[in-house]
């Protein structure tokens, strides 16, 4: 099986990533005169829309209700939960004027929406009988990121931010919601062929205002990890802060329990990064805006070229009527080779080549974008063969991605082994951990890594903590991160 090259993709990942966003016309970044903000271009937006449609489907079928809250949050509201406002204070954008008038209270551009949503839940919900409620919105949130901004990966306007917020009558109910959220994310990332590890973030790194945070991380082609989704059990922190009490099952009054969970533009960044190769995007067929592109190959004789074009039009309508998102590239001013280059960069999963041989033989030649494999089949089998190829590509992409991730998670038992693994392979190292923060901090300082947290679900570790020698209770994961 011929495989497409991935040298540049691997060795100059961030240069490749910037190149492909432009070459495949995904996202125009760096030219917009506000740092950390970019423009979704038409093709990129089609990919984004298919990704958010998938997310909406998974949320709607698990009892979530889509809502839309105001962008501006008054400062007193954002400040209600002290941990939360402390955690976000150096990231919040503020609106201070309306026209020439100074506002009597400054307004935050939402960095996330726990505060307005809890405020409204306290107006909408009075009794446990109304619970659970699961809301979500897909909006822009704004964070004045001080670390290096990068297109889609670390932006200041997070324009594809899906935030879900749920409210429950008990801690146990909130705990089962955390599990449901994790399952929704598993299905979501699995459908996109994105592999992940799930960790419970260490307490010193949890979401501001949460009891604890569960995170989905993946390893990018350059070996650094990217946090692609998070689930938080918020306990009663926000409901207490907003004096939001409900009538409980035992006829008393108490504060309800909440969770929140989010994904963002990073999902599209990961989709591009994980499956790409030196020629550009490689898209899983389910979310590819165009799944098959037909390229007519002209010949010397006018007559033959006309036949090829006519036959290609027939193939196009056959594919379209079978539900395949197909396109015919019949541009006259472009050579077949340039067309291959153009559509390969856009990651179209299947190319259908049609020359005089196919036109006269009533066949089509199908080329896979991921492995470049070619096969010629009779027109009567084209639809079946192309749909089977889509399944083969989806299976190949997730398998290749999962193997890459597995190859970049190293379980070690000494600091030397850890240093070797992180410096040579990058990715994630799993170190037996005694449970004390100072041992984790020592590893972070020694190896210039950050902690990702401990395996979720919990996993007992063998051996002893390589820093203090005490018995390990679980593994602590470390990586170099975006
Ligand atoms: N600057 C950023 N650019 C792109 N994506 C980001 C950025 N900051 C965070 N994210 C993504 O957004 C997800 C949710 O953000 S968060 O802070 O962890 N969690 C929340 O805001 C909670 N309210 C759940 S919605 C993160 O897991 C990460 O994947
Ligand atoms: Zn230790």
């Amino acid at each position: 099986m011929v495989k497409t090259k991935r040298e540049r993709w691997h060795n100059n990942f961030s240069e490749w990533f910037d190149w492909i966003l432009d070459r495949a016309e995904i996202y125009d970044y760096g030219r917009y005169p506000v740092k950390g903000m970019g423009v979704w271009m038409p093709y990129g937006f089609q990919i984004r829309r298919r990704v958010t449609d998938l997310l909406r489907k998974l949320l709607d079928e698990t009892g979530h209700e889509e809502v839309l809250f105001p962008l501006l949050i008054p400062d007193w509201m954002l400040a209600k939960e002290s941990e939360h406002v402390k955690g976000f204070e150096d990231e919040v954008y503020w609106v201070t004027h309306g026209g020439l008038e100074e506002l009597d209270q400054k307004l935050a551009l939402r960095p996330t929406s726990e505060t307005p949503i809890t405020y409204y839940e306290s107006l909408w919900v009075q009794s446990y009988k109304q619970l659970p409620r699961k809301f979500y919105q897909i909006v822009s949130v704004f964070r004045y990121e001080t670390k290096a901004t990068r297109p889609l990966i670390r932006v200041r306007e997070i324009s594809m931010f899906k935030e879900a917020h749920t409210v429950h009558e008990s801690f146990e109910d909130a705990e089962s919601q955390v599990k449901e959220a994790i399952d929704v994310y598993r299905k979501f990332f699995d459908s996109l062929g994105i592999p992940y590890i799930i960790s419970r973030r260490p307490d010193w790194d949890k979401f501001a205002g949460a009891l604890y945070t569960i995170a989905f991380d993946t390893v990018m082609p350059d070996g650094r990890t990217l946090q692609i989704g998070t689930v938080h059990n918020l306990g009663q922190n926000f409901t207490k802060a907003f004096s939001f009490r409900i009538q409980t099952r035992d006829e008393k009054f108490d504060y309800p329990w909440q969770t929140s969970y989010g994904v963002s533009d990073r999902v599209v960044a990961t989709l591009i990064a994980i499956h790409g190769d030196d020629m550009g995007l490689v898209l899983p067929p389910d979310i590819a805006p165009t799944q098959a592109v037909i390229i007519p190959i002209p010949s010397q004789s006018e007559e033959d070229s006309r036949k090829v074009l006519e036959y290609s039009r027939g193939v196009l309508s056959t594919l379209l009527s079978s539900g395949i998102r197909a396109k015919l590239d019949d541009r006259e001013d472009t050579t077949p080779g340039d067309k291959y280059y153009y559509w390969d960069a856009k990651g179209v999963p299947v190319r259908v080549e049609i020359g005089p041989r196919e036109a006269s033989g009533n066949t089509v030649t199908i080329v896979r974008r991921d492995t470049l494999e070619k096969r010629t089949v009779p027109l009567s089998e084209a639809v079946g063969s192309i749909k089977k190829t889509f399944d083969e590509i989806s299976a190949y992409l997730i398998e290749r991605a999962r193997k890459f991730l597995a190859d970049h998670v190293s379980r070690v038992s000494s600091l030397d082994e850890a240093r070797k693994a992180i410096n040579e392979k990058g990715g994630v190292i799993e170190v037996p951990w005694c449970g004390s923060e100072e041992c984790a901090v020592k590893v972070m300082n020694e190896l210039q890594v950050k902690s990702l947290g401990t395996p979720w679900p919990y996993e007992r570790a063998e051996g002893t903590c390589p820093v203090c020698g005490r018995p390990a209770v679980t593994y602590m994961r470390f990586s170099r991160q975006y």
Side-chain angles (χ1 to χ4, degrees), residues 112 114 143 145 155 161 207 227 230 232 261-262 264 266:
T112 177
E114 273 76 5
R143 297 184 183 183
E145 294 280 359
V155 286
F161 193 75
F207 175 72
Q227 175 183 285
T230 28
H232 316 287
Y261 31 104
S264 76
R266 286 185 180 175

Side-chain angles (χ1 to χ4, degrees), residues 189-190 193-197 217-219 228 270 274-275 398 401-402 405:
F189 291 122
D190 292 352
I194 296 172
Y196 46 81
I197 54 170
D217 294 294
T218 195
V219 176
I228 52 176
T270 316
I274 295 275
H275 299 312
I398 192 163
R402 282 182 171 155
L405 177 63

